Structures are given as structure tokens and as C-alpha cells.
Amino acid sequence: MPPPIPSRAPRGTPLYVHLPFCAAKCHYCDFFSVADEGQDLEGMIDAILAEAHVRAPHAPRTVFLGGGTPSLLPIPLLRRLLDGLEQVTAFRDHAVEVTAECNPESLDGEKARALLDLGVGRLSIGLQSLDDDILRLFGRVHDAAMGLCAYEAARDAGAPNVNVDMIHSAPGLPTRTWREHLRRILDLEPDHLSAYTLTFEEQTRFRTWLEQGRIERQAEEVELLQFAITREACSAAGLEAYEISNHARPGRECRHNLVYWHGEPYVGIGPSAASKLGHQRMGNLRAIPAYLGAIERSGTAIDWLEELSPVRRLAETWWLGLRLSEGVDPARARASAGFEGAGEDPALAEAERLVERGHLERVGERYRLTPRGLPVADAVARTFLTRLH
Amino acid sequence: MDPKLIRNFSIIAHIDHGKSTLADRMLEITGTVQAREMKAQLLDDMELERERGITIKARAVTILHEKDGVTYQLNLIDTPGHVDFHYEVEKSLQACEGSVLLVDASQGVEAQTVANAYLAIEADHEIIPVLNKIDLPHARPDEVAEEIESSLAIEATDAIAVSAKSGANVDLVLDRIVERIPPPSGDPEAPLRALIFDAVYDEYRGIIVYLRVVDGSIRARDRIRMMGTGKVYETVEIGRFSPKMKKCESLQAGEVGYFVSNIKQLGDVRVGDTLILDKGPAVEMLPGYAEPQHMVFADFYPTNPGDYEDMRDALETLCLSDSSLSFEPVTSDALGFGYRCGFLGLLHMEIIQQRLEREHDLDMIQTAPSVTYQVLDRHGEEHWVHSPGALPPPDQYEELREPIARVSMLVPTEFIGPVMTISTDHRGVFVRQEHLSATRVQIVFDIPLAEIMYDFYDKLKSCTRGFGTLNYEITGYKADDLVKLQILVNGKEVDALSSIVHRSRADTRGRAVLKKLRKEIPRHLFEVRLQAAIGSKILARENIAALRKDVTAKCYGGDITRKRKLLEKQKAGKRRMRQVGDVDIPQKAFLSVLGGESKS
């Protein structure tokens, strides 16, 4: 039974668009995507535009085309999508940041120029590794050379703002090699680098392989080391870590993603896309036929909805906010959760306890993770998520 | 029915000697239950009983048996076989005049058979010896009959040899019950006196009271009074067990049955109480039962503090049908509010725990079982100590005494050596040794009850290849070099993990406990230090290293709800966690300590 159709979000609300197709599913990936072969890409674009018509906010501050692999769309379809969104939202005049996720196999000079022409200003390229064996293990359909070519193509096309996605702690990846790859990437002078520790998410091939013993996870020390040297090397290259896995040149932090970590509202359209509006979080149907059917019937495809209680809002603010190097301002956390004064703030006592233990530090009015707290950010988050009442 | 045609009896047997099977055959042969309705072990109606193949609660059934053209009413009151349920056996025996002593013809007389048979002898029962499993190739009826005679001084030359499984000769047992067991001696014309020997709670009908009419009779719509509690009720329904409850008009002197009266107040009914007519003439109360002696204490804490009230209701319900269970509120720094429960023994404790979980759907944490200690203070006064947490500091008492059990073990002669060894290892003092027959011997030791509680029975079983059996009774308290073994988590004593042990064992036990805790307590944001100590003296340490890496690499808008739920997953598990200071101790950690010393 679908929850009530939410009203259109206020003008300026950030917009996320989910394109659920990839050339092939990567073995570690747990985002919702399917192989594009034989899919009705056009039908999907039209459905997303139909949903935008009902739900997309006017003049969004930021737009993010994610997936899946948006760059996989042929140029005419990209045009149809972005022109369509422009008609509904007028994002081209208002958005300060428009990102499209790209993969090397579908990003050449022509595609990059087309994206820029259509109003995209930020390209996020999934390189993931510079080791061909590891790329094969990951199930990627490109090699390291193609990755570097895609980056060059983006720059040659004049992309002003480029992010590179990388993964460390892959099975068998020596720290020395990672250091070397990192240097080569930083030498390209990207504006932004997302570097993730490899994870073994549920319902991925990697998880199955791990359980079957077909691949081996790196030792905890190695994961910690590769995590630490990534921050160091990025910092030395002028890209400060502003989030657990994200590094940027000053002013090039991803404004769209900051919305998530700040707990601000956003609208997501497309299969499986989530939204946060007011004190509610909701998500769309995942299965493509179900999504298409729902859109055709009603213009929306909301599958689930949760109401966030004040305590949960407070805990979420701390959890997500502590992922950022700027940390959390308790007063703002309280305000977003609807708590009156510091006297009734249950999070403060937890935060102070974590300060005593050396996992948090206080800088001015804000709390943030210490170098000791950073690698155990989830355990810190858990104390807020499970202990506040 | 004419009391002369009534016979009330019970069956005394060791576990696995075939008591329930014999009862089933009796029901079948007499047509009380049709063969197609027959479920094996019909009398054991609690799920747990059926699962474990042991009888916990006394049950009753009325059987009609024809002999020489006359129909007799035989009331079988089933008794539990396990040593822990000694008290239940006593209750059942008081409601009848005779017993069938059932002994496995290959296993022979076992320690519990002896203990229960003595109870029957004390209750003035006529005893009918029966040898079971006579069709088994290893049956040795003559030798076992000799064992019965030498261990119990009961004439057994005419013991009936049966196979409860096939039903062979079971009719002879029924005949002999009619011939040998005297009819009830009560006066049918006298004012009503009935003995409450059991009670169960039914959600729809209230309390169902099991009774044995001693004098007079009881009818539906009688106003009756329970002498002990003084409560007055009108009987709504009277009936017999056949074996299902079956309504009848009245129960006469000598008969066994039940009544229902919409009693919802659990405290109103007390097993052992005497039932009389409210407006009837004054009569003497029937001899009550001795207060049960609690041997083992443990604390139950609801995992979810909101369940505290439900737990009390559940314990009250269990107490109703099990007057040998006791409980009182208790508070612990580490575990919050809970109840200290007194049990007859370890099996009793385990069964209560499982019934609370299964029948009342409660999640709980149970502390290590402890015996009751006696402290002699500096002023020469004696105090009872039911838990390690309640023990005063050593400088405030003269002596710490523990209960001593006289343990009687029946074992095949070739195992005398190993049995002596484990008994001595468990601080036992030899009392005597007696040969029951050429192949079986009775060995008696005085052993501290606390030693028996942990693993003595398991050890006896394993060192006698399963042939050894034991029975015990508490003979008194004795001072020894006992100390409180404290368990500290990050410097804070956790009373639920502490125990009282003999000084010579403190070290080994302390180490074993810490090893188990180390395995069960998850890694935290900080190092968790575990220590075992006597006073300020640290005996053992273990450390659980702090978490080093626990961080989600990717966390974006589409995924926040799912990731949060993953992080909160531990919250569901948290219901089974307890916080001691900042340390989360899972219930499993508490339970793992229960096993006592690691099996060597």
C-alpha cells in the first residue's frame, strides 16, 4: 500500500536522479543497477521525466545524476533527459553544482562535451584502480589505461570540476602499490578524490566469494594503513579530507553530497532513489517494471516511508555529521531534532564521554572525530544510534 | 463409588526405567484410552516433559479395571523420577495407599529408586515390586530381585516380570494392585476433607485444583473453603482424569479428581492445603507438607527492564503448580531489577528457566547458580547468604559454612576406583561402601553441595560409562576455606559473575571464567580489562583489545536508512546485552560462566 504522495518540495531543494543501468554489475557494488543490454532506456528516461513532472523541485541548488552509470546513455538520450529536467526545474540557471557519474568505458571527448553542453559542470569518474588484475577482479569493463584516457578526455573537453573514484585495500593490493597509484592520480590534479576502503556488502558477489574463501580480505592493519596514507597523500596534494572517504581542493567539496551529511532535505527520482523531506525519509520502488508501472499510473513510485522521531533525528545528525571533518554543532543538531535546550540534550553526555575516551574532540562549539575516532566512526555512531532515548 | 472398590497408587521408578510406558499400557489395556488416541507418554503433557522424556509434574488418571467380575476404580498418581523433584514425589505419595516399584531388569536398582522407595515406605505404602524390560537380552531378573531385597528390604521373590513396551503381564500388575493395595480408609459419611496435591493454571478456566478426597464427598456447586488460606469458593465443576478432564457429579471419599472454580488469584491455592465445606462442622486439618528445602539459588533478570512485571506474573503462575519454587525481588548494580529464585536442584532451575522463556515468552539473564551459605558473624550469630553479592567482607565474619550433601552412588563394582577419585577430587569425605550384589556397589560420600552443582553428575556418568546413578540429601553445614571470587570488568565488580568457591579452586575457576568472558564480550571502542580477584588480590587477567577499525566507506543519500538500520542491528541484539559501566556484556557471557570450571 503506497504511502501518500508527497507534495512538491520547496524551490531550491537539491535533486538526485537515479539511472539504474550499467554496462555490467561490479562485483563489490550494492547500489541498485542492472546491465543495460536489452533494456528500454528511452522508456526509463520518459518515466523519470514523468516523475520529475510530479515531484522535482523548482530551481534545485544542486543536481546529481547517479546510478548506475549515467554516462552510458547515448547523447540523444542524455539530451532528452537533461532538456526535460530543464523544462521542469530550470536547473541550468539555478543549480550551483550539477554532477554526472561516468565510467571510463562510456566517457570519451564527445560524451564529455555533450554533458558539459547540457548543463553538467562536474564529472565524477569511476577509475577505482590502476591495476588491471584488480579491475578484472572487480568486474569492471575497462582497464587502467582506459580510465586515464577518460580522465584526459574530460579535462580536454574543458570539464572544470572532476572527481575520481578509487578503491583501496583490494585483495592482494600492496600498500606500496596503492601509494604509487595514489601519487599517479593526484598528479592528474583532480578537484576531488573519493577513496573508499573496499567493503564486502551483503548480496554482492564479493561477499559470497569472501564467505567461500575465494578471496581474502586485507588485514585490519593494512586497511588502516591504506586509509591513513590516503588522507596524508591527498592533504599533501592540497585535497583535504572533508569526509571519511572524500577529499577536495578548497571550495570543491561536493555540495550535493554535503546535503546528505548535513541532514538537509533532498528529492530523489528514478528507481530506488531516496528522498528526505521534512521529518520523513522515503524511497522509490526498485524493480524496473514496478517502477515504470507505478509512474504510468500515478506519476510517483514511492515504496517506503519512514517518520523520523526527534531522538532519531538527533542521532542521525550526530552519525552523519561526525563523518565530516567539520563535525557537529550540538545546538544545530538539537534544532534539527526539535530539542529545546542543552539541558535536555541526551547526545551531549554521550559526546562528552567520547571526548574523555579520546574518540571525539571539541573545537569551539563543535565536536569532531579525532584521528583515533576516525577509523572507528561506525562504533562511535552506534553509541548515538543505540544509546539515545 | 464404594470406597472398597477404589485403589490409589503411584509408580516409583528411576528415569528411563519405563514408568510412563507402563502407565500408557495400563490406560490402553483397560480401555481408558483407545489405542488410536494413544500418544506415547500420554501422561507427560508438558512440552518440556515430552521432549526430555522425564516427568516433572505429578499427574493423575482414573482407570477402571475389572477383576473377577467386579469393576475397580484405580487412581494412578504419576510421580517425577528425578532427584530434584523429591518434594513432588512426597506430595503424590501422600495422596495414595500403595506404590508400584518399577525396576529395569537389566539396569537394576538405582540410587533414585532407593530414595523414592524409602519415601513410599515412610508413607506406609504397600509396595508391589515389578521388573520391567524383561524381554531385553541383558535382563537379569533374579539378580535385580535380589538387589531390591538387599537394598530396600522388600520381599521381591514374587516380583512381576513385565514388558511395558509390549504390554506382557501388565494385566497382572493391575490385578495385584487390586489384591494388595488397601482401599482408602476415609469415612464417606464424615464431613468433607480433601487434600490439594497439585494445581495448574488454565487461561480460560482459572486454577484447576487436583485433589484427593479423604473423608466425605465434594459436589458441583458446593461452597468450599481452603483451610490454610481461608479462601471460600463455589465449585463450578468437579471431575476425574480419564486421562482428559471429565466432568462428574461428585467425588467420594478415597477418590482422586479435580475442581474448577474460576479462581484467578494465584495466592489463594496452596498445594498441601486441606479443602473443607464452608459451612460444615469443624474438622482437623490434614497433615500438611513439609516446606521444601531450596538447594540452589539463582537470580533471573528480565533482559528488557519493561518485562519486570510480566516476569513476576509468570513466576507466580509457575509457583502455583510448583510450590517448591520460591522467588523474591532483588536488585543488582549490573543487572537491574530481577528475582532471586530458590530451586530444589539444577534440573529444577533449568526447567523453570525454560518454562519462563517458552510458556511466558520472557527473555532473561540468569546468574550463576549458587547454594545457600551460612555465615557466623563476630557476635556468634548465624546468617543465611543466598548470593555471592550478599556476602559480607571477610573481616566481618568468623566462619563461612557451606551445605554438605550425603551422596549415595550406585555403580557397577568395576568403577569403584574412578568414583572414589572423582568424589575425593570434589572435596568428598568417604562415609561407607556396601555391596548390593556381586556386581553392584553402593558408595556413600559427604560432598559439598556446591561441588555437586557444577559438574559432578556429568563426571560420575562419564567415569562409569553411564551406569552410575546418584542421590543425595543435605546433612548439614560445614565451615571450610571458602572465598568470594570476584570478577571485575574495567575495575568494576560484576556481582552477577562472582561466585563463592573453595580457595584451592579460585585460581583455576577464575581463569576459566575470564577465558569464557573474553570469548563472549565483543570488542569495544576502548580496551576491556577483565580480572578475577579475591579481595584486593588479582588472580587472573584478560584483556579485550579495543576496536581498531569499524567505519562505513560509503554513505550517501540513497542509503542512509539502510545503513542506519545496519548500525542499529546491534540494538535488537542489545535486548540481550547488559551495560556494566560503559561495557556491553551479552547475555551469552553470563550464561557461559554458568557451566562452571571448563571440563578437563
Side-chain angles (χ1 to χ4, degrees):
Chain A
M1 172 221 43
I5 298 165
S7 56
R8 190 183 291 274
R11 183 185 166 86
T13 305
L15 175 67
Y16 175 81
V17 182
H18 191 83
L19 292 148
F21 303 117
C22 281
K25 182 89 187 164
C26 300
H27 299 155
Y28 54 80
C29 175
D30 69 333
F31 285 99
F32 176 61
S33 78
V34 294
D36 64 320
E37 211 179 313
Q39 296 284 347
D40 177 10
L41 303 186
E42 222 170 303
M44 178 57 71
I45 299 296
D46 290 344
I48 288 174
L49 288 174
E51 190 186 7
H53 215 79
V54 178
R55 294 189 59 223
H58 195 69
R61 275 187 292 124
T62 59
V63 176
F64 197 106
L65 305 185
T69 312
S71 65
L72 166 147
L73 293 178
I75 292 168
L77 280 184
L78 279 172
R79 178 169 299 120
R80 188 156 161 173
L81 174 68
L82 287 159
D83 286 352
L85 286 176
E86 170 63 16
Q87 268 187 4
V88 181
T89 68
F91 75 91
R92 285 179 185 143
D93 278 345
H94 294 93
V96 294
E97 180 191 278
V98 179
T99 306
E101 288 188 327
C102 307
N103 271 338
E105 69 275 7
S106 55
L107 186 67
D108 54 13
E110 197 191 352
K111 185 71 69 62
R113 273 188 300 278
L115 283 166
L116 294 171
D117 286 347
L118 291 167
V120 175
R122 184 171 182 270
L123 299 182
S124 174
I125 311 172
L127 260 63
Q128 316 305 3
S129 181
L130 292 182
D131 183 308
D132 286 346
D133 288 337
I134 286 176
L135 286 169
R136 256 193 304 280
L137 181 69
F138 281 176
R140 304 288 293 183
V141 292
H142 60 88
D143 58 17
M146 278 168 78
L148 295 169
C149 275
Y151 183 86
E152 291 304 333
R155 282 304 194 195
D156 289 347
N161 192 353
V162 179
N163 168 57
V164 171
D165 270 2
M166 293 290 286
I167 294 175
H168 66 74
S169 302
L173 174 69
T175 301
R176 190 169 19 87
T177 310
W178 171 243
R179 206 190 290 271
E180 158 68 14
H181 290 171
L182 204 52
R183 194 189 52 72
R184 282 167 64 194
I185 293 295
L186 288 169
D187 281 350
L188 297 173
E189 299 188 350
D191 300 273
H192 189 285
L193 175 67
S194 300
Y196 303 106
T197 309
L198 178 67
T199 50
F200 300 82
E201 306 292 336
E202 275 171 45
Q203 291 176 356
T204 61
R205 238 179 242 202
F206 260 35
R207 178 64 159 264
T208 311
W209 289 348
L210 185 70
E211 280 160 7
Q212 292 170 344
R214 288 174 61 184
I215 51 174
E216 215 170 303
R217 194 183 177 135
Q218 291 271 23
E220 208 171 66
E221 296 73 46
V222 175
E223 291 188 356
L224 281 172
L225 186 60
Q226 298 195 3
F227 175 71
I229 65 171
T230 304
R231 292 175 84 85
E232 271 168 39
C234 286
S235 175
L239 276 68
E240 287 301 333
Y242 68 100
E243 195 259 357
I244 303 266
S245 307
N246 286 284
H247 316 75
R249 220 169 277 298
R252 290 298 200 190
E253 297 85 4
C254 178
R255 309 200 34 173
H256 184 85
N257 286 341
L258 280 170
V259 164
Y260 302 143
W261 299 317
H262 285 150
E264 290 163 5
Y266 56 92
V267 172
I269 58 175
S272 86
S275 305
K276 187 189 179 204
L277 290 165
H279 299 324
Q280 292 179 329
R281 241 181 239 297
M282 64 210 81
N284 276 352
L285 291 161
R286 291 169 73 92
I288 288 170
Y291 172 80
L292 294 175
I295 294 296
E296 200 181 314
R297 279 190 302 276
S298 64
T300 64
I302 304 291
D303 177 34
W304 57 268
L305 181 143
E306 67 167 351
E307 193 73 44
L308 300 168
S309 67
V311 167
R312 190 163 260 172
R313 297 205 293 274
L314 186 68
E316 272 199 3
T317 306
W318 281 86
W319 160 41
L320 297 168
L322 286 176
R323 293 185 66 89
L324 296 170
S325 58
E326 65 184 41
V328 172
D329 175 356
R332 274 186 58 183
R334 278 196 298 276
S336 72
F339 280 79
E340 289 291 320
E344 58 167 279
D345 186 348
L348 272 185
E350 288 300 335
E352 280 303 323
R353 226 194 326 221
L354 288 159
V355 169
E356 269 168 51
R357 295 213 179 277
H359 294 102
L360 291 188
E361 62 186 351
R362 232 180 117 162
V363 183
E365 289 303 306
R366 308 182 75 91
Y367 289 87
R368 66 179 190 199
L369 289 168
T370 59
R372 194 171 150 206
L374 200 63
V376 289
D378 280 6
V380 169
R382 221 174 269 131
T383 67
F384 289 102
L385 289 170
T386 63
R387 289 202 184 199
L388 299 192
H389 296 291
Chain B
M1 174 162 281
D2 183 349
K4 287 194 193 65
L5 301 180
I6 297 175
R7 302 290 184 272
N8 295 320
F9 73 104
S10 60
I11 306 175
I12 293 169
H14 186 76
I15 304 170
D16 289 341
H17 281 203
K19 182 178 57 166
S20 295
T21 315
L22 178 64
D24 289 351
R25 274 313 85 70
M26 286 177 168
L27 299 189
E28 223 176 55
I29 287 170
T30 56
T32 311
V33 174
Q34 299 303 320
R36 63 186 155 79
E37 296 174 26
M38 211 55 209
K39 270 187 286 187
Q41 297 195 14
L42 205 69
L43 279 181
D44 298 347
D45 60 4
M46 270 196 290
E47 184 193 347
L48 259 178
E49 290 184 354
R50 205 179 288 274
E51 209 172 88
R52 287 168 171 253
I54 53 172
T55 311
I56 302 161
K57 288 287 304 165
R59 301 284 144 174
V61 61
T62 296
I63 299 166
L64 295 180
H65 176 61
E66 205 183 289
K67 182 174 187 287
D68 307 328
V70 183
T71 303
Y72 292 86
Q73 183 193 99
L74 310 187
N75 294 306
L76 163 60
I77 296 174
D78 202 16
T79 56
H82 191 273
V83 56
D84 274 8
F85 300 101
H86 185 92
Y87 179 77
E88 303 265 352
V89 176
E90 226 170 15
K91 281 192 304 183
S92 311
L93 295 183
Q94 287 193 35
C96 31
E97 285 80 26
S99 292
V100 170
L101 172 65
L102 184 70
V103 181
D104 184 315
S106 60
Q107 303 278 332
V109 174
E110 314 252 18
Q112 274 139 52
T113 324
V114 178
N116 288 346
Y118 276 125
L119 285 178
I121 293 168
E122 271 170 42
D124 260 341
H125 276 199
E126 177 66 36
I127 292 168
I128 299 170
V130 173
L131 302 175
N132 191 20
K133 307 194 189 178
I134 201 72
D135 47 342
L136 290 186
H138 303 296
R140 42 184 186 95
D142 296 341
E143 247 174 88
V144 172
E146 189 193 319
E147 279 178 24
I148 294 176
E149 291 189 355
S150 62
S151 61
L152 297 166
I154 292 169
E155 168 73 45
T157 39
D158 61 349
I160 307 170
V162 307
S163 165
K165 202 170 162 207
S166 72
N169 291 348
V170 171
D171 52 337
L172 297 183
V173 178
L174 291 165
D175 285 350
R176 191 160 296 175
I177 288 169
V178 171
E179 287 160 13
R180 292 268 183 93
I181 294 180
S185 59
D187 179 356
E189 305 306 323
L192 169 70
R193 282 203 304 171
L195 184 69
I196 300 178
F197 68 89
D198 204 351
V200 293
Y201 185 77
D202 182 288
E203 213 178 310
Y204 304 105
R205 320 182 67 191
I207 296 169
I208 297 164
V209 180
Y210 290 40
L211 55 98
R212 151 77 197 267
V213 182
V214 177
D215 293 324
S217 62
I218 183 170
R219 290 175 183 78
R221 308 251 156 260
D222 272 348
R223 281 186 73 77
I224 46 97
R225 182 147 59 94
M226 283 164 267
M227 284 183 87
T229 60
K231 299 291 172 188
V232 177
Y233 281 99
E234 190 182 276
T235 54
V236 171
E237 183 183 318
I238 300 269
R240 298 192 180 90
F241 300 99
S242 67
K244 285 192 187 114
M245 292 196 292
K246 200 170 154 193
K247 257 203 277 201
C248 66
E249 279 305 301
S250 69
L251 291 171
Q252 311 290 328
E255 287 192 290
V256 171
Y258 69 91
F259 83 89
V260 177
S261 204
N262 263 328
I263 309 173
K264 301 279 184 185
Q265 284 302 319
L266 304 182
D268 290 358
V269 178
R270 243 180 28 211
V271 170
D273 207 345
T274 304
L275 206 66
I276 57 172
L277 287 174
D278 183 34
K279 297 276 192 272
V283 291
E284 205 179 313
M285 214 167 154
L286 294 165
Y289 296 125
E291 277 291 306
Q293 197 184 356
H294 296 124
M295 304 288 188
V296 173
F297 284 81
D299 296 353
F300 288 166
Y301 295 92
T303 323
N304 174 5
D307 288 346
Y308 180 75
E309 299 288 317
D310 289 348
M311 191 170 212
R312 194 196 52 214
D313 292 348
L315 283 167
E316 275 179 356
T317 311
L318 293 181
C319 269
L320 167 73
S321 61
D322 182 353
S323 53
S324 50
L325 168 69
S326 77
F327 69 98
E328 62 182 31
V330 67
T331 320
S332 145
D333 287 349
L335 301 171
F337 294 99
Y339 296 95
R340 165 140 320 133
C341 302
F343 308 98
L344 301 171
L346 282 180
L347 179 71
H348 188 208
M349 176 182 82
E350 206 180 310
I351 283 166
I352 294 294
Q353 184 219 325
Q354 292 193 11
R355 290 187 66 186
L356 283 172
E357 288 187 347
R358 285 195 200 182
E359 294 168 26
H360 299 275
D361 202 21
L362 289 166
D363 273 344
M364 56 192 200
I365 290 174
Q366 181 194 322
T367 60
S370 161
V371 300
T372 305
Y373 291 87
Q374 198 181 47
V375 158
L376 180 68
D377 70 16
R378 304 253 156 198
H379 310 291
E381 279 175 42
E382 291 169 346
H383 305 279
W384 296 108
V385 173
H386 295 308
S387 79
L391 186 68
D395 57 343
Q396 285 176 27
Y397 58 83
E398 283 297 327
E399 268 182 20
L400 180 52
R401 299 168 181 163
E402 63 181 333
I404 303 294
R406 178 145 297 182
V407 182
S408 158
M409 295 163 275
L410 294 194
V411 301
T413 41
E414 69 252 47
F415 301 119
I416 293 177
V419 169
M420 292 282 181
T421 308
I422 60 154
S423 302
T424 319
D425 283 352
H426 285 77
R427 298 193 282 133
V429 177
F430 179 76
V431 178
R432 67 169 185 272
Q433 177 180 334
E434 244 171 78
H435 284 267
L436 298 185
S437 65
T439 56
R440 287 167 66 81
V441 63
Q442 181 183 38
I443 302 170
V444 181
F445 265 86
D446 281 345
I447 302 176
L449 181 61
E451 295 282 336
I452 301 171
M453 267 181 29
Y454 287 117
D455 58 357
F456 187 77
Y457 189 62
D458 287 347
K459 285 198 173 150
L460 177 71
K461 277 284 172 203
S462 68
C463 85
T464 59
R465 284 195 222 122
F467 288 112
T469 57
L470 74 82
N471 194 64
Y472 63 83
E473 56 177 335
I474 303 300
T475 49
Y477 276 73
K478 207 178 118 199
D480 208 334
D481 191 6
L482 302 170
V483 292
K484 180 176 171 189
L485 175 67
Q486 296 152 295
I487 302 297
L488 290 80
V489 175
N490 276 0
K492 198 171 177 344
E493 186 183 346
V494 183
D495 47 13
L497 295 173
S498 298
S499 52
I500 295 172
V501 298
H502 193 261
R503 192 180 296 275
S504 64
R505 298 295 167 83
D507 207 67
T508 332
R509 186 156 159 73
R511 270 168 222 289
V513 168
L514 294 196
K515 277 225 168 60
K516 286 178 180 170
L517 288 178
R518 211 199 127 149
K519 249 198 277 170
E520 297 297 342
I521 297 176
R523 286 167 81 185
H524 281 63
L525 274 170
F526 41 86
E527 186 181 64
V528 176
R529 281 170 294 119
L530 305 173
Q531 293 166 310
I534 300 175
S536 57
K537 190 178 155 217
I538 305 294
L539 302 176
R541 294 166 214 275
E542 291 276 353
N543 283 345
I544 301 168
L547 262 177
R548 294 188 56 207
K549 190 180 166 297
D550 184 9
V551 57
T552 304
K554 284 190 188 190
C555 184
Y556 296 106
D559 233 18
I560 289 174
T561 297
R562 194 174 61 88
K563 292 251 148 88
R564 190 195 66 230
K565 284 182 179 160
L566 278 176
L567 288 170
E568 284 173 344
K569 236 186 194 171
Q570 218 185 327
K571 197 176 190 175
K574 207 134 205 137
R575 293 211 310 131
R576 291 195 163 263
M577 292 265 207
R578 277 290 175 173
Q579 262 175 267
V580 176
D582 276 354
V583 183
D584 291 319
I585 304 182
Q587 178 175 20
K588 265 183 88 186
F590 289 97
L591 295 179
S592 73
V593 174
L594 283 183
E597 290 171 42
S598 57
K599 304 257 158 36
S600 47

